[in-house]
Amino acid sequence: MSIFAVVIFLFLGSVEGFSTKSQPCTYSVGKYCKPALFTALFSTASFLLGAITSLVSGFLGMKIATYANARTTLEARKGVGKAFITAFRSGAVMGFLLASSGLVVLYITINVFKLYYGDDWEGLFESITGYGLGGSSMALFGRVGGGIYTKAADVGADLVGKVERNIPEDDPRNPAVIADNVGDNVGDIAGMGSDLFGSYAESSCAALVVASISSFGINHDFTGMCYPLLVSSVGIIVCLITTLFATDFFEIKAVKEIEPALKKQLIISTALMTVGIAIISWLALPAKFTIFNFGTQKEVSNWGLFFCVAIGLWAGLIIGFVTEYYTSNAYSPVQDVADSCRTGAATNVIFGLALGYKSVIIPIFAIAVSIYVSFSIAAMYGIAVAALGMLSTIATGLAIDAYGPISDNAGGIAEMAGMSHRIRERTDALDAAGNTTAAIGKGFAIGSAALVSLALFGAFVSRAGVKVVDVLSPKVFIGLIVGAMLPYWFSAMTMKSVGSAALKMVEEVRRQFNTIPGLMEGTGKPDYATCVKISTDASIKEMIPPGALVMLTPLIVGTFFGVETLSGVLAGALVSGVQIAISASNTGGAWDNAKKYIEAGASEHARTLGPKGSDCHKAAVIGDTIGDPLKDTSGPSLNILIKLMAVESLVFAPFFATHGGLLFKYL
């Protein structure tokens, strides 16, 4: 973090040769803006603020989750309803904490920076973009490092424990069981939290940058400028009301009510949010205003902007429900995958991959429609606020998402503490519902990442002075094809990291089973610490190469090849990254739930495939093991790749526009 802060300061400070003289403004002809050196200084400060907020959010989220999981296990003794409320409320604490801390830090930062910048809106919001970069760069390490940590332990524990030794999941005899439970918190709580925080910070920054060069910025309408923050503020109030529906207004009495209760959260929050957006669009925005649109000003009405936010909000819901259809074992796609296990692991893998590819279709259409409509209404600002609309119910989304790992760990604690089978059944029911909702959360994260990175791309193109991105230009096309390759390179790195870390874990677990006397009988004690150390070391060491790939690509391309090639790289990475991310997440989720479908044996069809330990179940476990790095490491990390490259390009745009393209200058 500190090294990159220095890089930001040096690159941006060198734009005008570290001069302390006022510079002519980029967009307001005839006016003078603050010196580039001070913009560099403030950008560095906002980068550090974003990074620290992201770290603190992830840390507090993990703290809450580890407090909550044991309490959920204890509440499960009283019934499934009590356990659900405990798990859900603790998830909600994390959701609200993250949404509100992101908002309050950003608002305070804007007001403090305003003391220096005064009426120089351009410089003010250019320096604020560092906040999104800080949030996302920490999210990258949280997501990739957390994903490697959790999946190394999970794959190691499953392969030796469940497949080779035929002992239950989370059995205390399994040496990797503690590392597995720790990993759930690292990857799914800290990683997911910092990921969505990054999206949220970036979409706010993209909207603010575009607004600062529009009539809001020209007329100094501070309320209009802060419209993106108002959308997020209303979202927090709406999510607070929505949470009461899950915990206070309706009581859960049976297992089958869990999943509908979680899905109702999404529908209620979306419906209430639509009303909330309408109210603030009417109150906060002028009836007519102009938005900067690649060199021209486009006139927009306040109702037009309401439609932009609303379409992003509803597109998010559609993506969520399509994800649920393809990953929940209540529907035919996952049941077909479970059925394919009859003939072994190979057919299971084929069906799972096909399901993942097919699940990309509707989300892409939903994203495409929301991009077209919001761009037609309000240019790039429309896309930025559509992304904010998708993220406006972030507190509810995170509550549902954090609920999953908390329930999963509650089940692990019940198993390790030797509690009754009935309690384990209840926590498993909570976990199965959480599995599907976690997939919905990943769908939201990927969909919003597509919109956010497009909005950032638009802000970058405007800021770097690129009039048009011509695909037929060789400079742009080479960028496009290399950019489309980057998500594959990144996925290869993260999956191989999980594979090599899992290999060490499997060898260690096997060694302990073979050498520790009485371990299988339950009289010997496993060495949990060594397994935890393997996961920790692997995650810290293995996250550096993928992280470097993402952080260095825009710097190298922008400096040596210039802004046109970089705009091609960003477009290519966005287009291919979204497809791979959706298919990887949904394939992994489907394999996981196909295994759970066979294990639960809730229907006649499921019972013909079971029981646990049968050949059919073993084939499902292998599918689930392959899917683990796809759904929890590669898939979710890709949305950070596309966002982070775009926001980094935006932050360094003044440098690339002034000094970029070294190779083409001298060739």
Side-chain angles (χ1 to χ4, degrees):
M1 206 164 95
S2 47
I3 292 166
F4 206 70
V6 174
V7 172
I8 292 173
F9 179 71
L10 293 176
F11 271 54
L12 294 183
S14 68
V15 171
E16 301 291 346
F18 297 99
S19 150
T20 52
K21 294 194 183 99
S22 292
Q23 303 297 329
C25 296
T26 313
Y27 302 101
S28 311
V29 183
K31 284 178 73 179
Y32 275 82
C33 288
K34 297 288 190 233
L37 182 68
F38 288 99
T39 300
L41 195 65
F42 282 109
S43 292
T44 309
S46 62
F47 166 76
L48 291 170
L49 273 171
I52 291 163
T53 311
S54 181
L55 282 174
V56 169
S57 303
F59 175 77
L60 291 174
M62 281 176 68
K63 215 165 178 52
I64 293 158
T66 43
Y67 274 131
N69 49 27
R71 296 176 185 191
T72 305
T73 315
L74 291 173
E75 288 297 311
R77 294 183 302 182
K78 299 172 190 167
V80 79
K82 296 274 191 222
F84 171 80
I85 288 175
T86 308
F88 184 80
R89 278 187 178 156
S90 12
V93 173
M94 184 199 167
F96 288 115
L97 192 125
L98 213 131
S100 53
S101 60
L103 186 66
V104 76
V105 174
L106 188 55
Y107 184 67
I108 291 168
T109 309
I110 290 169
N111 280 294
V112 170
F113 284 14
K114 206 160 158 279
L115 298 175
Y116 168 74
Y117 279 101
D119 58 359
D120 175 11
W121 294 88
E122 230 175 85
L124 168 64
F125 289 106
E126 200 171 289
S127 59
I128 288 290
T129 52
Y131 185 75
L133 177 60
S136 242
S137 52
M138 287 304 107
L140 174 75
F141 295 114
R143 247 311 179 206
V144 176
I148 293 167
Y149 188 110
T150 179
K151 290 303 114 184
D154 201 355
V155 172
D158 281 1
L159 276 181
V160 185
K162 278 157 70 173
V163 177
E164 291 179 11
R165 296 279 169 170
N166 242 341
I167 58 174
E169 195 168 352
D170 298 314
D171 191 296
R173 291 173 291 178
N174 193 332
V177 73
I178 300 284
D180 185 10
N181 283 327
V182 173
D184 288 336
N185 293 309
V186 179
D188 291 338
I189 301 272
M192 185 68 180
S194 51
D195 178 3
L196 281 175
F197 169 76
S199 282
Y200 167 77
E202 281 158 350
S203 51
S204 303
C205 291
L208 291 165
V209 167
V210 180
S212 69
I213 50 179
S214 302
S215 66
F216 298 135
I218 297 158
N219 302 335
H220 302 277
D221 177 358
F222 190 63
T223 310
M225 278 293 307
C226 284
Y227 179 71
L229 303 185
L230 284 167
V231 170
S232 306
S233 321
V234 171
I236 293 175
I237 298 165
V238 163
C239 292
L240 200 58
I241 298 164
T242 310
T243 307
L244 300 176
F245 281 91
T247 55
D248 294 77
F249 298 154
F250 301 111
E251 198 183 333
I252 286 181
K253 294 185 175 72
V255 166
K256 63 177 186 293
E257 295 171 14
I258 299 170
E259 212 168 296
L262 290 169
K263 286 195 298 202
K264 268 186 214 148
Q265 289 284 299
L266 293 172
I267 298 165
I268 294 166
S269 63
T270 305
L272 290 175
M273 191 64 205
T274 310
V275 178
I277 298 162
I279 294 166
I280 58 155
S281 300
W282 182 54
L283 291 174
L285 294 171
K288 289 268 188 292
F289 48 91
T290 57
I291 290 294
F292 186 81
N293 180 23
F294 299 115
T296 59
Q297 294 279 0
K298 179 186 174 80
E299 193 175 79
V300 186
S301 69
N302 53 3
W303 289 110
L305 220 51
F306 158 71
F307 282 118
C308 291
V309 183
I311 197 163
L313 180 68
W314 286 92
L317 190 69
I318 290 165
I319 292 170
F321 279 114
V322 170
T323 307
E324 191 235 355
Y325 173 72
Y326 280 106
T327 55
S328 168
N329 53 29
Y331 305 105
S332 59
V334 171
Q335 291 175 12
D336 289 347
V337 172
D339 202 51
S340 70
C341 295
R342 290 176 193 275
T343 46
T347 41
N348 179 24
V349 170
I350 293 165
F351 269 69
L353 288 172
L355 176 145
Y357 297 148
K358 197 175 171 189
S359 70
V360 173
I361 301 166
I362 299 171
I364 293 297
F365 278 121
I367 293 168
V369 169
S370 43
I371 287 170
Y372 181 78
V373 174
S374 52
F375 188 85
S376 305
I377 294 171
M380 274 300 166
Y381 189 65
I383 293 174
V385 293
L388 266 175
M390 203 178 271
L391 289 164
S392 57
T393 52
I394 184 175
T396 295
L398 269 169
I400 291 171
D401 215 72
Y403 154 89
I406 290 168
S407 309
D408 191 358
N409 271 359
I413 289 167
E415 184 73 51
M416 287 188 282
M419 294 171 87
S420 80
H421 186 62
R422 203 173 72 253
I423 291 170
R424 180 70 213 229
E425 277 176 1
R426 287 171 185 164
T427 56
D428 276 355
L430 293 174
D431 181 27
N435 237 351
T436 305
T437 52
I440 294 175
K442 288 181 185 111
F444 262 99
I446 295 161
S448 64
L451 292 178
V452 168
S453 45
L454 187 59
L456 291 165
F457 177 67
F460 161 72
V461 170
S462 303
R463 184 64 195 88
V466 179
K467 292 284 180 286
V468 62
V469 180
D470 179 9
V471 180
L472 295 176
S473 149
K475 282 184 186 176
V476 175
F477 193 80
I478 58 166
L480 201 62
I481 202 160
V482 169
M485 173 274 296
L486 287 173
Y488 289 93
W489 188 1
F490 181 81
S491 300
M493 281 179 164
T494 49
M495 288 192 72
K496 192 159 183 281
S497 298
V498 172
S500 55
L503 197 69
K504 288 182 194 150
M505 187 68 78
V506 167
E507 284 168 355
E508 174 58 26
V509 176
R510 276 183 186 152
R511 184 195 67 75
Q512 291 200 27
F513 272 120
N514 292 332
T515 58
I516 296 176
L519 186 55
M520 268 306 279
E521 293 73 35
T523 51
K525 198 171 187 308
D527 176 10
Y528 300 121
T530 308
C531 291
V532 171
K533 190 177 186 319
I534 289 171
S535 262
T536 311
D537 291 351
S539 64
I540 290 169
K541 196 171 88 204
E542 299 280 358
M543 73 183 172
I544 295 167
L549 175 73
V550 180
M551 302 290 275
L552 295 177
T553 299
L555 291 177
I556 293 167
V557 174
T559 307
F560 293 106
F561 299 93
V563 286
E564 285 180 54
T565 309
L566 181 54
S567 55
V569 168
L570 296 178
L574 166 60
V575 169
S576 83
V578 172
Q579 329 278 342
I580 304 170
I582 295 173
S583 66
S585 292
N586 290 350
T587 293
W591 276 328
D592 193 352
N593 274 343
K595 177 201 73 175
K596 284 200 162 61
Y597 176 73
I598 294 170
E599 285 177 350
S603 68
E604 191 56 48
H605 174 239
R607 282 192 286 277
T608 62
L609 302 172
K612 278 187 186 181
S614 64
D615 287 345
C616 201
H617 177 247
K618 280 181 177 168
V621 170
I622 291 169
D624 174 36
T625 310
I626 300 168
D628 273 340
L630 284 172
K631 77 174 165 64
D632 288 328
T633 312
S634 297
S637 304
L638 279 171
N639 56 53
I640 301 177
L641 170 127
I642 56 178
K643 289 181 310 193
L644 189 53
M645 280 171 51
V647 74
E648 193 180 324
S649 304
L650 174 59
V651 169
F652 287 104
F655 175 80
F656 297 148
T658 313
H659 301 301
L662 294 178
L663 282 182
F664 293 135
K665 277 179 186 169
Y666 301 115
L667 283 175

